[in-house]
Amino acid sequence: MNFALGFKPLLGESNTMESLEKQLICPICLEMFTKPVVILPCQHNLCRKCANDVFQASNPLWQSRGSTSVSTGGRFRCPSCRHEVVLDRHGVYGLQRNLLVENIIDIYKQESTRPIHPKSEQQLMCEEHHEEKINIYCLTCETPTCSMCKVFGAHKDCEVAPLQNVYKRQKTELSDGIAMLVAGNDRIQALISQLEDICKTIEDNGRRQKQHLCDKFDALYAILEERKKELVQAVSREQDEKLGHVRTLIRRHGDHLEGAVKLVEAAIQSMEEPQMAVFLQSTKDVLKKITDTAKASSIERTEPGYESMGHFIINTDDVADMLRTIDFQTGSQGEEGDEAYLLEEGAEEQAAQPSVGAEPGRL
């Protein structure tokens, strides 16, 4: 179906106001910024409420404002450029307000009350019937058309519906798809943060276990040096294997998140199309991609306790002739040994600190 755009030229003031309005849209709620407006380190702006929603989704365990507990801050990513924003203990309330944008919003609202030429002056016309407006939608051919095409033209045997009804239905579907993608992106971003924390925990646990091994083997260094190297390598292999697996998950979810963000941007651009017929033509592929992305998304997680390295425990109480066959303990004994090692390490640190009120030079 071919159709042409017939319209009366709009005033330059209307175009200016429309361009200004697009610059004042929050990328989260897709509405005009609601004061207070905060500016991120990457120079993008958000409603503070929207920034708080994104921050809370990325940091579910962060204490809310007004809590008696002391928070250590948190982080989230800018929805426009994915730049990581690191916050202090005040959370989003520590971000600087953008008073310039707030003033522009006030000016825009004042100017927007002045009458301008509405967009309704634009009207798509049928190219086959030049005097007929595009006012119906052919459900069979999935294309906008005019009433004359239905009565006498190529769509006379097709099923049609009012253009307005189909426009509202597909716009609702697209809005629901955008909401679904945004919610999924928040979950994936939270998962990526958790996986990054797991990487750090695995590194810390691996480093602690290797130090534990070194401490035990240093006491029997002459006959245990070769065996010590083998066991350290075993810890490193498992650490590298786990880190490799978790980082693969991070890259996989990151790639999916990047694709979903681009799809959200394409969907938002389609939402800004004022012409119903053009909108319906351009959103078919977007809706299909959203559906395919939703079906293909699968959030793979690590198993509970995956980051634990507590099974690398040794016992140096064995007799000397058994040292050549020493190996890691497994099961409950290994976990109990790990706890004993932590208690011993804590006692040594406490003993190394001076007593309260001790004389100078005396512990």
Side-chain angles (χ1 to χ4, degrees):
M1 175 64 195
N2 295 324
F3 44 84
L5 181 64
F7 63 94
K8 298 178 180 179
L10 297 177
L11 292 176
E13 180 182 1
S14 176
N15 288 331
T16 301
M17 294 297 288
E18 290 174 9
S19 300
L20 179 59
E21 180 180 2
K22 291 180 180 179
Q23 300 299 320
L24 299 177
I25 297 299
C26 173
I28 300 299
C29 61
L30 303 182
E31 300 289 344
M32 183 174 294
F33 287 119
T34 301
K35 295 191 297 185
V37 180
V38 295
I39 182 169
L40 305 181
C42 58
Q43 302 304 309
H44 289 112
N45 298 287
L46 294 175
C47 309
R48 188 159 69 189
K49 179 181 180 303
C50 295
N52 190 57
D53 291 342
V54 175
F55 173 63
Q56 292 291 343
S58 301
N59 302 268
L61 300 181
W62 192 81
Q63 295 292 335
S64 60
R65 184 175 176 86
S67 171
T68 57
S69 301
V70 178
S71 173
T72 58
R75 61 187 65 199
F76 67 96
R77 293 189 182 276
C78 171
S80 297
C81 66
R82 310 308 300 163
H83 175 78
E84 186 175 61
V85 180
V86 180
L87 302 179
D88 58 17
R89 62 188 182 87
H90 300 291
V92 298
Y93 293 89
L95 292 172
Q96 182 179 0
R97 289 179 62 177
N98 194 332
L99 300 180
L100 176 60
V101 170
E102 293 182 6
N103 292 336
I104 292 175
I105 291 174
D106 292 338
I107 296 174
Y108 172 81
K109 290 181 177 180
Q110 293 175 2
E111 293 296 325
S112 62
T113 59
R114 298 169 54 188
I116 58 175
H117 288 265
K119 294 182 179 179
S120 59
E121 293 186 12
Q122 304 183 30
Q123 178 63 54
L124 293 175
M125 310 299 291
C126 178
E127 287 193 352
E128 296 181 10
H129 308 93
H130 302 289
E131 300 298 325
E132 293 293 326
K133 299 178 181 179
I134 300 296
N135 57 1
I136 61 176
Y137 186 82
C138 178
L139 300 176
T140 304
C141 303
E142 297 184 347
T143 183
T145 185
C146 72
S147 301
M148 294 297 292
C149 289
K150 168 59 181 172
V151 177
F152 304 106
H155 301 282
K156 63 181 179 179
D157 297 324
C158 299
E159 181 181 359
V160 299
L163 187 65
Q164 182 74 11
N165 295 350
V166 180
Y167 167 79
K168 290 181 178 179
R169 182 175 68 250
Q170 289 199 12
K171 194 161 189 177
T172 300
E173 292 177 0
L174 185 58
S175 299
D176 294 341
I178 292 174
M180 178 180 62
L181 286 174
V182 171
N185 291 349
D186 292 340
R187 290 194 298 271
I188 293 175
Q189 184 59 55
L191 175 59
I192 290 176
S193 298
Q194 293 174 3
L195 293 175
E196 289 173 345
D197 292 339
I198 289 175
C199 281
K200 184 179 183 300
T201 303
I202 291 175
E203 290 175 342
D204 293 342
N205 288 345
R207 182 167 52 252
R208 176 172 58 83
Q209 291 297 338
K210 287 188 285 187
Q211 183 61 47
H212 183 200
L213 287 172
C214 291
D215 292 341
K216 294 295 184 181
F217 277 91
D218 284 343
L220 304 170
Y221 192 84
I223 61 176
L224 297 178
E225 180 62 24
E226 182 177 356
R227 187 60 177 166
K228 180 187 69 173
K229 293 179 180 179
E230 295 175 358
L231 295 178
V232 169
Q233 290 173 357
V235 176
S236 298
R237 282 196 300 269
E238 182 160 338
Q239 175 186 341
D240 293 340
E241 180 181 349
K242 287 186 175 182
L243 287 173
H245 176 65
V246 174
R247 285 167 176 163
T248 298
L249 290 180
I250 292 176
R251 288 193 298 270
R252 186 183 307 165
H253 292 310
D255 292 341
H256 178 80
L257 177 62
E258 182 179 358
V261 168
K262 292 180 179 179
L263 189 55
V264 169
E265 294 175 354
I268 291 175
Q269 291 178 356
S270 298
M271 290 285 293
E272 296 176 352
E273 175 55 51
Q275 293 302 318
M276 293 183 291
V278 175
F279 171 84
L280 293 174
Q281 286 290 91
S282 63
T283 55
K284 289 189 293 184
D285 291 339
V286 176
L287 288 172
K288 184 178 183 302
K289 290 180 180 178
I290 290 177
T291 303
D292 294 341
T293 301
K295 292 180 179 178
S297 63
S298 60
I299 301 180
E300 181 180 353
R301 304 173 183 269
T302 57
E303 298 177 356
Y306 181 78
E307 67 274 21
S308 175
M309 305 283 282
H311 53 286
F312 295 110
I313 301 298
I314 63 171
N315 181 7
T316 57
D317 295 332
D318 296 336
V319 293
D321 58 354
M322 297 296 294
L323 291 177
R324 297 291 180 181
T325 59
I326 192 170
D327 205 343
F328 294 110
Q329 296 178 343
T330 58
S332 60
Q333 292 182 351
E335 296 295 334
E336 292 173 358
D338 190 30
E339 294 178 0
Y341 171 71
L342 292 176
L343 292 175
E344 179 184 351
E345 193 177 55
E348 292 177 354
E349 292 179 356
Q350 184 175 3
Q353 296 179 356
S355 301
V356 178
E359 296 180 4
R362 180 180 300 175
L363 297 179

